[in-house]
Amino acid sequence: MRVIIAGEIAVYTDVVANSESIIEVIQEKLDQKQMVLSHIVADGLEIYSEIDSYLSTHLSDIEEVIVVGLSLQEALSQNMISAVQYVERATPEVEVLINQIIQGSSAQGWETFAELAEGLEWMLQFLSLMENNQSAAADSSVFTPLRTELEAVLGSLQEAMNNEDIVLIADVLKYELIPYFSSFQKQINPLIDNEDASHDTI
C-alpha cells in the first residue's frame, strides 16, 4: 500500500502488521509540517470521519491512501464556514421544533432536540478552538463573547430541562437561541468574507 502525504510517498508491504504505525506516521508527518488532517482519499474514496477506524478495518484492501492536510489557518477558516452553514440549517429546524414543543412533545421533536444539543456542543467546541488559536484566527476578539453567550443559552436550556418546564424550553429556543444564531451569523460572516478577500489578494 502507498501512503502519500504532501507529495512524500511511503510504501508498506505488510499493512496488517503495520496498521498502528501507519496511522502514527500519518499524524507525525502532519505534525512535522504543522498541518491538520482534513480527510483521506482511499483508492479514490474520500473519508472525512472516523478515519482511524476506517483505516484499521480496510487496510488490507487499500492500495493507495492520499492524506489531505490543511494549515491551521485553513482549518480554522473551514471551521468558520461549517459553523455558519450549521446555523443556517439549524435555524428553520429550531423554529419547527418550537411549534412541536408548544403543540405537545413528540418522539420526533425530542429526537430533534437531542440533535440540536449535540450541534450546540459542537459549536461550543468550535468557539473554544478559535479562542485557543488566536494567533491564527481572524479578529479573534469576537469568539469569547460568542462562547460566553452560547454557554448562557445552554445553561438556560439545562435549567428548563431539569425543571421539566416545556414552556420555558420553547421560550429559550425562541427568545435566546434564535437571536443568538442571528448574532452569530452577523459576526462570523464578515470574518469569512475577509478571509476570502485576503486569499484573493495573494
Side-chain angles (χ1 to χ4, degrees):
M1 182 183 73
R2 297 198 312 165
V3 178
I4 304 173
I5 307 175
E8 297 182 9
I9 302 175
V11 179
Y12 295 87
T13 54
D14 189 352
V15 293
V16 175
N18 291 291
S19 59
E20 291 186 5
S21 64
I22 292 173
I23 295 171
E24 290 173 358
V25 166
I26 289 174
Q27 190 57 56
E28 287 174 3
K29 289 290 185 182
L30 290 172
D31 290 343
Q32 289 172 6
K33 298 179 181 298
Q34 295 184 319
M35 300 179 78
V36 177
L37 177 62
S38 169
H39 62 284
I40 64 169
V41 183
D43 290 339
L45 179 64
E46 295 183 346
I47 308 296
Y48 284 86
S49 61
E50 300 182 353
I51 292 174
D52 288 0
S53 176
Y54 182 88
L55 285 176
S56 298
T57 304
H58 298 89
L59 267 180
S60 60
D61 301 319
I62 299 173
E63 295 183 2
E64 180 181 85
V65 173
I66 301 173
V67 179
V68 181
L70 301 173
S71 68
L72 179 58
Q73 179 96 32
E74 290 171 330
L76 295 178
S77 295
Q78 282 204 357
N79 276 337
M80 283 196 294
I81 293 171
S82 296
V84 168
Q85 289 175 339
Y86 168 75
V87 168
E88 290 173 347
R89 293 193 309 270
T91 299
E93 293 178 2
V94 172
E95 291 170 346
V96 171
L97 177 59
I98 292 169
N99 291 329
Q100 289 176 331
I101 291 174
I102 292 174
Q103 294 169 5
S105 60
S106 65
Q108 182 179 359
W110 289 118
E111 182 177 337
T112 302
F113 185 85
E115 292 172 355
L116 173 65
E118 290 181 5
L120 295 179
E121 286 294 338
W122 176 84
M123 286 186 64
L124 202 56
Q125 293 173 9
F126 155 74
L127 291 168
S128 296
L129 174 67
M130 300 302 286
E131 276 188 285
N132 293 332
N133 291 280
Q134 294 188 21
S135 60
D139 193 8
S140 57
S141 61
V142 306
F143 299 112
T144 298
L146 284 171
R147 177 186 56 77
T148 301
E149 189 177 351
L150 180 55
E151 286 177 338
V153 174
L154 288 171
S156 296
L157 279 175
Q158 186 62 57
E159 180 182 354
M161 289 291 293
N162 291 342
N163 294 330
E164 299 182 355
D165 191 332
I166 302 300
V167 174
L168 182 56
I169 292 173
D171 283 349
V172 172
L173 294 176
K174 184 175 182 178
Y175 298 111
E176 295 187 36
L177 185 58
I178 293 292
Y180 174 82
F181 278 169
S182 177
S183 174
F184 183 92
Q185 289 180 274
K186 288 177 181 177
Q187 294 185 67
I188 299 299
N189 273 328
L191 301 184
I192 296 173
D193 293 339
N194 289 341
E195 287 286 314
D196 291 342
S198 66
H199 291 158
D200 290 342
T201 59
I202 295 176

